[in-house]
Amino acid sequence: MEEKPTIDSLIKKVKEYDPQTDLEMIRLAYDFAAEAHKGQIRKSGEPYIIHPLATAHILADMRIDPLIVITALLHDVPEDTTVTLEEIEKNFGSEIASMVRGITKLGKLKYRGVERYIENLRKMFVAMAEDIRVMIIKFADRIHNLQTLDSLPPQKQYRIALESLEIYAPIANRLGMSEFKGQLEDLSFQYIYPKEYERTKKIRDEKLKGKETYLKSIQQIAEQELKEANIQIISIDGRNKKLYSIYQKLLRKENDAAQIYDLAAIRIVVPTIADCYAVLGILHKIWKPLKGRIKDYISQPKPNGYQSLHTTIFSDSGETIEFQIRTPEMHDDAEYGIAAHWHYDEQGSRLPSKDVRWTKELAIIQKEILNRLSDLDEIKIDFLQSRIFVFTPKGDVVDLPENATPVDFAYHIHTEVGNKCNGAKINDQMVSLDTELKNGDVVDIIIDKTRKGPSQDWLKFVKTHTAKNHIENYLKNQQQSKITDWFKYVLPKK
Ligand code: MN
């Protein structure tokens, strides 16, 4: 990114990938946010508006949907200023307002004990399930905060960096957003493990010393051979492995730097899958491949969906170098993951922001993250119950423990909805009230206003404390009022 991000350079950036978009709207959003944040100063001493502006730039660098860029400009307005969400909605419409609402719901990082923390984490997953774009903005927001972490007190630096490394980066990874994941990791790394950071940097620099010229020559030879074979090269460039990945690998390889082969890689993007395999064949004809280092992630993608061909070859001087070969679609997916669906030159194929498919993935990620946190003794085990995400007919997300039933859902919505609950539909099918809900179910509660209250039998199958407490309280009150009725009956009237 350029030294000082400005609104003009932002508009120029967006115009390059989406000339049709309403560029005036981006300027309006900037003016609106700048006015709202007027007089506010960041810890670094800069005017506050620098932060949302930089966040928008990070997203525009991904060539992302301008609607998301606009939302990024507005993302801190309701939380930090007197301007309300209603005013944002009036000026920028309901879609942008709803994303800003999602970010505001996530809240600022305020650490107030483990339980509150887990609660915030849960909120984050619900907000993600509601609209994954909110999380994409949150990542960019966090990246800029990490870039400017130096102006905060050390304790705060550590906490923000640790959260980024332990929670945000793994989520970005699971969503396939390796570009964001890499940035989150490397920016946090130096604050969490400063000594290891310096050491890893030294190892990398030493291994890379003098490599640049021969990397260039390898790249030129490859380019020449591919041209002769009539393979169109969309791009070919060298790429250094990120520091935190090197560190992780050193840990796995017992600190043996000699075992790290992919410190520098050459990435080749070609039009089709057939081209990818052709390139692999040509490279192996020029150089000898290293045994066991040929990886076909095209026919067998990684769990997060990553696709590419990898091979490590011996150069003539005996050095090793990795090649990564992929199509443009694989490249976008690898860099941007889920965000690629709002990325330009995807021929406008956009996914709905609420997509049941993500909820399954999100439930797995949530479980993983909570399991990691369970290493901290302070965290009580009942927080770690597996959770599922289900939807109201309007599309709002509710998270519940696994095996929860429509009655749990009803009490989660409102006590009265629980008490008057008389039946339920799951995905438009009538079901019995003890049916176990599954991830992504759309649940519609049928209410009978004349119903007196919950049934004792429900206690046999409800899973949440909320539902159980409400039912028990209601039944207890019932008994009490029966007693009062009885007293009224037996005691002589005055
Ligand atoms: Mn922010």
Side-chain angles (χ1 to χ4, degrees):
M1 208 205 306
E2 57 270 63
E3 265 302 294
K4 247 208 163 113
T6 65
I7 180 60
D8 289 327
S9 56
L10 180 70
I11 287 173
K12 195 170 153 243
K13 219 178 254 179
V14 176
K15 194 179 175 186
E16 263 165 36
Y17 65 84
D18 188 6
Q20 313 297 332
T21 202
D22 186 354
L23 296 165
E24 211 34 53
M25 193 69 144
I26 300 177
R27 193 177 294 279
L28 277 175
Y30 173 79
D31 291 342
F32 186 91
E35 183 59 31
H37 289 294
K38 202 167 165 182
Q40 291 177 346
I41 302 290
R42 295 195 93 212
K43 286 270 174 358
S44 61
E46 292 169 308
Y48 194 87
I49 189 67
I50 290 293
H51 166 65
L53 185 59
T55 306
H57 266 276
I58 292 169
L59 291 161
D61 285 336
M62 295 173 64
R63 303 162 62 82
I64 208 156
D65 185 344
L67 219 56
I68 298 179
V69 174
I70 292 173
T71 308
L73 287 170
L74 300 166
H75 82 270
D76 277 329
V77 167
E79 170 124 13
D80 291 341
T81 78
T82 54
V83 179
T84 62
L85 257 171
E86 286 70 45
E87 286 167 77
I88 290 180
E89 178 155 8
K90 223 165 53 198
N91 285 278
F92 299 97
S94 59
E95 194 175 2
I96 287 173
S98 129
M99 281 192 274
V100 175
R101 184 178 301 115
I103 297 161
T104 311
K105 262 201 265 176
L106 292 182
K108 283 268 156 70
L109 186 89
K110 282 179 201 131
Y111 188 81
R112 298 203 196 97
V114 173
E115 297 195 7
R116 283 288 285 277
Y117 186 75
I118 300 277
E119 207 37 55
N120 278 336
L121 211 55
R122 195 150 276 159
K123 268 197 234 156
M124 186 164 95
F125 279 97
V126 172
M128 261 200 281
E130 272 175 337
D131 190 339
I132 201 82
R133 292 174 300 181
V134 164
M135 206 56 210
I136 296 170
I137 297 168
K138 191 72 196 166
F139 285 138
D141 170 55
R142 180 50 64 95
I143 285 170
H144 184 247
N145 283 333
L146 287 168
Q147 284 167 347
T148 51
L149 211 52
D150 270 341
S151 41
L152 294 185
Q155 226 188 343
K156 237 179 171 179
Q157 287 176 354
Y158 185 81
R159 211 166 58 223
I160 293 174
L162 189 64
E163 187 190 52
S164 307
L165 192 65
E166 293 292 328
I167 291 166
Y168 285 77
I171 295 174
N173 185 39
R174 283 303 296 253
L175 298 177
M177 304 174 69
S178 64
E179 177 55 34
F180 275 1
K181 173 213 168 221
Q183 287 196 43
L184 288 163
E185 283 180 346
D186 275 15
L187 286 165
S188 318
F189 186 21
Q190 52 186 313
Y191 293 98
I192 305 297
Y193 308 109
K195 274 190 203 137
E196 284 84 348
Y197 176 82
E198 287 307 323
R199 192 175 63 95
T200 310
K201 218 166 120 186
K202 228 173 106 187
I203 290 174
R204 183 193 64 183
D205 292 348
E206 263 164 29
K207 284 200 80 159
L208 285 179
K209 211 189 285 166
K211 256 195 170 181
E212 275 197 9
T213 35
Y214 101 77
L215 266 173
K216 261 211 187 93
S217 77
I218 297 251
Q219 193 176 312
Q220 274 163 3
I221 295 169
E223 234 175 311
Q224 190 55 38
E225 295 277 340
L226 294 181
K227 259 182 208 148
E228 274 169 32
N230 276 325
I231 292 174
Q232 187 203 336
I233 303 170
I234 293 175
S235 70
I236 177 166
D237 47 50
R239 202 178 159 83
N240 290 343
K241 198 176 176 70
K242 287 259 177 19
L243 274 181
Y244 191 69
S245 309
I246 298 175
Y247 170 64
Q248 292 284 294
K249 207 155 204 178
L250 281 170
L251 288 181
R252 286 200 302 273
K253 305 278 181 188
E254 283 152 2
N255 270 317
D256 184 3
Q259 285 199 53
I260 298 182
Y261 301 111
D262 52 354
L263 219 48
I266 294 175
R267 186 172 289 158
I268 304 177
V269 180
V270 288
T272 66
I273 291 179
D275 291 331
C276 292
Y277 288 102
V279 170
L280 187 73
I282 291 165
L283 296 177
H284 287 170
K285 227 164 43 191
I286 318 172
W287 297 290
K288 199 169 149 241
L290 192 62
K291 249 198 193 139
R293 295 285 311 171
I294 305 170
K295 296 196 179 130
D296 184 351
Y297 296 122
I298 291 180
S299 64
Q300 284 177 313
K302 286 191 185 180
N304 67 5
Y306 176 83
Q307 287 190 300
S308 275
L309 298 175
H310 288 192
T311 185
T312 303
I313 55 97
F314 287 109
S315 73
D316 296 334
S317 51
E319 305 255 15
T320 55
I321 172 91
E322 183 179 88
F323 279 96
Q324 301 171 349
I325 309 154
R326 51 174 76 152
T327 65
E329 293 76 28
M330 292 174 196
H331 183 64
D332 279 353
D333 278 343
E335 298 281 289
Y336 305 128
I338 273 189
H341 297 288
W342 293 278
H343 167 78
Y344 271 59
D345 55 53
E346 267 258 328
Q347 295 119 37
S349 68
R350 287 194 215 161
L351 286 168
S353 53
K354 275 171 198 150
D355 190 317
V356 167
R357 274 174 296 169
W358 307 135
T359 63
K360 219 170 235 157
E361 183 73 8
L362 285 176
I364 298 169
I365 303 172
Q366 177 168 248
K367 195 175 165 186
E368 265 180 18
I369 302 261
L370 291 177
N371 277 339
R372 289 157 64 108
L373 288 174
S374 71
D375 293 345
L376 308 169
D377 317 328
E378 316 146 71
I379 295 179
K380 294 188 188 75
I381 199 73
D382 54 323
F383 276 120
L384 302 174
Q385 253 182 340
S386 292
R387 307 290 287 195
I388 54 167
F389 297 103
V390 295
F391 294 89
T392 69
K394 275 191 193 158
D396 292 328
V397 179
V398 172
D399 81 316
L400 291 169
E402 223 166 31
N403 307 328
T405 64
V407 175
D408 293 296
F409 177 88
Y411 277 105
H412 184 99
I413 301 293
H414 195 277
T415 315
E416 275 310 290
V417 177
N419 287 342
K420 306 274 182 213
C421 163
N422 207 42
K425 280 186 190 171
I426 297 179
N427 307 325
D428 282 332
Q429 299 282 318
M430 281 301 295
V431 296
S432 64
L433 287 174
D434 61 353
T435 308
E436 290 183 354
L437 300 176
K438 283 191 290 303
N439 235 319
D441 279 346
V442 177
V443 188
D444 195 359
I445 298 295
I446 296 150
I447 290 172
D448 178 0
K449 281 188 185 143
T450 63
R451 190 184 172 103
K452 289 222 175 69
S455 147
Q456 175 113 37
D457 291 343
W458 294 355
L459 287 171
K460 290 182 196 143
F461 57 75
V462 292
K463 299 291 183 305
T464 55
H465 291 298
T466 321
K468 208 169 155 226
N469 289 343
H470 282 309
I471 298 168
E472 280 171 348
N473 279 341
Y474 183 88
L475 295 175
K476 221 188 323 175
N477 288 337
Q478 275 306 100
Q479 268 161 7
Q480 255 160 12
S481 67
K482 267 184 201 141
I483 291 171
T484 7
D485 281 350
W486 182 77
F487 271 117
K488 265 188 221 151
Y489 181 73
V490 295
L491 291 175
K493 284 179 190 141
K494 275 187 194 163

